[in-house]
Amino acid sequence: MEIVFVVAIAENGVIGAGNAIPWRLKSDMARFKALTIGKPVIMGRRTFESLPRRPLPGRTNIVITRDAAYRAAGAIVTTSAVDADAVARGDALRRSVTEVAVIGGAEIFRQWLDRADRLEITEVHARPDGDTHFDIDKAEWDEVARIRHPAGPDDSADFSYVTYRRRRGH
């Protein structure tokens, strides 16, 4: 079972500003859907609440929060990464898929980074202000694919799709 991070990161490491994404990349939405559809997706409460359409359709939405009383219609709520992992793995087995997608936010990425096998990054060619960051330690990851795209009509920046695999021995 592979743990795959799906995240858009600006050139300066910014992934968010005020619990929102500080760019618009409509072109990236189709890739995000393709990478996550039919799979369990793990996210934090604030990420879940920031989704324009929740729960994400066609995916098992697993929300991690410290608030044991929190409820999210259409999602499975857990209070630990261990519980979320068990739910996600069980769901992946039922769905006959080999991946679990982790989609944010920053605290969830920090909790799961040691378990991640692959990073599917949308590298946003911009340097926006933001309060949430994600940095890739290049000593632990090998870049295995990169495709650059110009901004489309509904995009605020050029971007690249970059895939990283964890280096062996890490």
Side-chain angles (χ1 to χ4, degrees), residues 52-79:
R53 186 169 172 204
R54 59 184 180 258
L56 290 170
R59 289 150 273 207
T60 301
N61 290 236
I62 303 165
V63 178
I64 303 173
T65 178
R66 291 180 196 93
D67 180 357
Y70 183 78
R71 297 293 173 262
I76 298 167
V77 178
T78 69
T79 56

Side-chain angles (χ1 to χ4, degrees), residues 14-106:
V14 167
I15 63 170
N19 203 37
I21 297 170
W23 53 75
R24 178 164 167 74
L25 287 182
K26 192 169 182 184
S27 298
D28 189 41
M29 292 299 102
R31 179 173 185 261
F32 176 84
K33 184 176 182 180
L35 288 168
T36 61
I37 197 75
K39 299 172 186 164
V41 292
I42 295 171
M43 68 197 91
R45 177 191 54 80
R46 287 188 306 243
T47 297
F48 181 76
E49 291 176 352
S50 76
L51 296 173
R53 186 169 172 204
R54 59 184 180 258
L56 290 170
R59 289 150 273 207
T60 301
N61 290 236
I62 303 165
V63 178
I64 303 173
T65 178
R66 291 180 196 93
D67 180 357
Y70 183 78
R71 297 293 173 262
I76 298 167
V77 178
T78 69
T79 56
S80 75
V82 170
D83 290 346
D85 187 55
V87 169
R89 287 177 185 277
D91 183 68
L93 289 170
R94 278 190 298 282
R95 291 174 174 266
S96 298
V97 296
T98 59
E99 297 175 356
V100 172
V102 177
I103 64 168

Side-chain angles (χ1 to χ4, degrees), residues 140-151:
E140 292 187 29
W141 300 93
D142 287 321
E143 182 179 314
V144 296
R146 174 181 290 269
I147 303 168
R148 187 170 175 112
H149 296 274

Side-chain angles (χ1 to χ4, degrees), residues 73-134:
I76 298 167
V77 178
T78 69
T79 56
S80 75
V82 170
D83 290 346
D85 187 55
V87 169
R89 287 177 185 277
D91 183 68
L93 289 170
R94 278 190 298 282
R95 291 174 174 266
S96 298
V97 296
T98 59
E99 297 175 356
V100 172
V102 177
I103 64 168
E107 180 61 28
I108 301 304
F109 288 137
R110 272 192 289 283
Q111 290 175 14
W112 285 77
L113 189 58
D114 288 344
R115 304 173 200 209
D117 301 294
R118 193 173 87 235
L119 308 177
E120 290 293 347
I121 306 298
T122 300
E123 193 175 88
V124 182
H125 300 299
R127 301 181 76 75
D129 290 334
D131 53 19
T132 311
H133 296 81
F134 184 100

